[in-house]
Amino acid sequence: MDAPAPIPRGGLIEGAYREHSRKVLATLIRLLGDFDLAEEALHDAFVAAADRWPREGVPGNPSAWLVSAGRFRAIDKLRRRARFRAMEPELAEQIVSDAEEGEEMADAVIKDDQLRLIFTCCHPALPQPAQVALTLRELCGLTTEEIARAFLARPPALAQRIVRAKARIREERIPYEVPELSALPERLDAVLRVIYLVYNEGYSAHSGTELIRADLSAEAVRLGRLMLDLLPQGETMGLLALMLLHDSRRDARTTPDGEVILLADQDRTLWDRALIEEGFGLIDRAFATRQIGPYTLQAAIAAVHTRARTADETDWGEIVGLYDVLMRASPSPVVRLNRAVAVGMHQGPQAGLALVNALLEEGDLSDYHLTYAAQADFYRRAGDKPAARQAYEQALELALQEPERRFLQKRLQELGEGGGGTS
């Protein structure tokens, strides 16, 4: 549930909220054992800070101060609501004991609480849509309205999804902990998958009027950085590198009017070199760990595109080779489609067309608009205008995202005038 009243405005408190609120919330959830009570406590802590900090100064450890303030106010609320005596005696005793810890909470403890919260929000017992919504709500601090708007959902329905997820965590006693080492790879995969789902929705929205939702992809990158800080595994590095390399092209992917610009046609001087260099460094670190998985391989593919000074200099042979490795590590129809596009760029449109047609004949991705867009582009490059038109029309019928629909309509109008590639 969202905060019951706005946090008092002002540069000092707003800045502290941005810096500390998610860390403090994670610890309050651990101490109080309840998401909603912890959110109320977080709100109350910042109200107290707004009252005291301007007069007394910011404490040396703001996060610990806020945890302490929120925790004591939560206990007061429990007593006032006459719920304290009805609670499990052990839980009541634990809350009081924790409250007596004072303000000496170490930063390392708070950091561990964030890691615990990520694994709780992404627990496999929760449906994936609930994992995404809960992660954005609790770890990113987005309101239910903001999450609903990002995923084109109705706010009441989104709110119910979050409520049900919290109830399931409580009723099934889903542990608030980092998994044991033996279970960590599988559970880490679930966390990284949720982060990448959030990023992809921001990078290329599935539907709506805008291709890019920068705020959503920025939240995913922030989560990726947090995961890297908390758990520096090879695939964590690979995922963050992949997101950064894609994000480096954001300003070049659309016109000022929001129209799609394909990768081959982008102004590469607009690519963000700082993000690119950070991504390259993360890829090197990921390969050095020898924990090379699908995200690291996808990042390596993105790096080949990024290193090319022009589209014509792209090393498509290297990209095909990386896709061959990715197919062994994480086979999927989408990977097959992307490999088919790379083969078509490397060996010619007929070679790519044969692979795309095979995918369609097998029934894989037959309802995915990008499959037909790739097929259409190969037909267009091969000079088969009637087949290209039919494929573009099929892609247009399936596409939900308005800039992509306008791009496909433009292709239908301009068949034979060249161009092609990915965005």
Side-chain angles (χ1 to χ4, degrees):
M1 100 188 172
D2 294 333
I7 299 294
R9 294 295 179 183
L12 173 66
I13 300 303
E14 286 188 58
Y17 190 87
R18 285 194 298 271
E19 182 177 355
H20 301 290
S21 64
R22 297 303 102 190
K23 296 184 288 186
V24 171
L25 179 63
T27 296
L28 287 171
I29 291 172
R30 173 175 63 83
L31 296 176
L32 300 173
D34 184 280
F35 278 82
D36 293 335
L37 182 60
E39 289 184 13
E40 291 179 27
L42 176 72
H43 175 268
D44 291 343
F46 273 96
V47 170
D51 177 58
R52 293 180 55 179
W53 290 6
R55 293 185 285 106
E56 302 174 6
V58 178
N61 189 333
S63 293
W65 189 99
L66 290 161
V67 168
S68 180
R71 187 169 48 209
F72 281 120
R73 280 158 180 77
I75 292 172
D76 288 342
K77 280 191 175 184
L78 289 172
R79 285 171 171 152
R80 286 199 303 270
R81 295 173 185 175
R83 287 171 52 189
F84 195 82
R85 293 181 181 176
M87 296 171 65
E88 293 283 346
E90 297 83 0
L91 177 58
E93 182 179 344
Q94 183 64 48
I95 290 179
V96 173
S97 174
D98 289 337
E100 293 173 351
E101 292 177 9
E103 299 177 14
E104 302 304 319
M105 185 167 295
D107 289 335
V109 174
I110 293 176
K111 181 183 289 189
D112 287 346
D113 286 335
Q114 288 183 284
L115 189 56
R116 294 185 186 100
L117 182 57
I118 290 176
F119 280 102
T120 301
C121 290
C122 299
H123 195 278
L126 301 176
Q128 192 167 84
Q131 293 178 24
V132 172
L134 199 59
T135 298
L136 289 173
R137 180 71 191 91
E138 307 303 330
L139 284 155
C140 298
L142 273 63
T143 65
T144 52
E145 289 77 12
E146 288 170 329
I147 302 168
R149 186 164 59 248
F151 287 92
L152 302 180
R154 293 175 56 249
L158 196 285
Q160 281 302 308
R161 183 181 298 169
I162 294 174
V163 167
R164 286 193 295 270
K166 291 176 179 177
R168 190 162 186 177
I169 290 171
R170 182 174 58 253
E171 293 164 3
E172 298 190 13
R173 298 176 182 262
I174 290 176
Y176 185 75
E177 63 185 14
V178 178
E180 296 292 333
L181 187 61
S182 60
L184 187 58
E186 179 183 358
R187 292 290 305 282
L188 180 60
D189 286 347
V191 173
L192 298 183
R193 184 166 57 250
V194 166
I195 294 174
Y196 198 40
L197 281 170
V198 173
Y199 181 81
N200 276 335
E201 187 61 29
Y203 180 79
S204 183
H206 287 94
S207 57
T209 59
E210 298 179 356
L211 177 68
I212 299 170
R213 294 172 184 164
D215 55 344
L216 206 56
S217 57
E219 289 297 340
V221 169
R222 191 175 77 81
L223 284 172
R225 293 190 188 281
L226 177 62
M227 280 301 298
L228 180 63
D229 182 45
L230 298 175
L231 201 65
Q233 302 282 324
E235 275 291 78
T236 309
M237 298 171 192
L239 175 58
L240 181 56
L242 175 61
M243 294 190 295
L244 292 176
L245 291 178
H246 282 323
D247 222 38
S248 71
R249 302 200 299 262
R250 185 197 316 162
D251 291 343
R253 292 182 59 228
T254 59
T255 68
D257 296 331
E259 300 303 313
V260 174
I261 302 176
L262 297 182
L263 177 60
D265 302 320
Q266 288 172 13
D267 180 354
R268 300 186 178 214
T269 64
L270 296 178
W271 291 0
D272 189 321
R273 298 308 308 180
L275 293 182
I276 290 170
E277 292 305 319
E278 185 180 0
F280 287 170
L282 285 166
I283 292 171
D284 290 342
R285 288 174 59 192
F287 272 93
T289 68
R290 300 187 180 277
Q291 301 167 342
I292 302 168
Y295 294 118
T296 301
L297 291 168
Q298 290 177 73
I301 291 168
V304 177
H305 284 293
T306 307
R307 287 193 178 96
R309 291 178 299 174
T310 67
D312 290 340
E313 293 180 25
T314 303
D315 189 340
W316 288 105
E318 183 178 358
I319 290 175
V320 171
L322 286 168
Y323 271 121
D324 288 342
V325 178
L326 182 59
M327 278 292 298
R328 293 194 293 272
S330 181
S332 75
V334 171
V335 172
R336 288 180 63 192
L337 175 61
N338 291 337
R339 180 183 178 278
V341 171
V343 168
M345 297 301 294
H346 181 49
Q347 300 179 11
Q350 293 295 347
L353 191 59
L355 295 174
V356 172
N357 287 344
L359 270 172
L360 289 171
E361 289 171 7
E362 294 168 15
D364 292 326
L365 304 181
S366 59
D367 57 353
Y368 186 43
H369 72 285
L370 293 180
T371 312
Y372 296 98
Q375 183 190 47
D377 186 61
F378 286 139
Y379 277 130
R380 181 180 62 82
R381 289 170 53 204
D384 191 338
K385 291 184 180 181
R389 176 171 293 278
Q390 183 178 355
Y392 276 129
E393 288 172 347
Q394 184 66 45
L396 184 60
E397 183 178 331
L398 293 169
L400 300 176
Q401 214 276 332
E402 285 303 321
E404 289 186 334
R405 289 180 58 81
R406 290 195 297 271
F407 176 82
L408 292 168
Q409 288 166 342
K410 182 180 178 182
R411 275 286 190 248
L412 279 167
Q413 295 166 0
E414 300 177 352
L415 271 177
E417 293 187 8
T422 59
S423 63

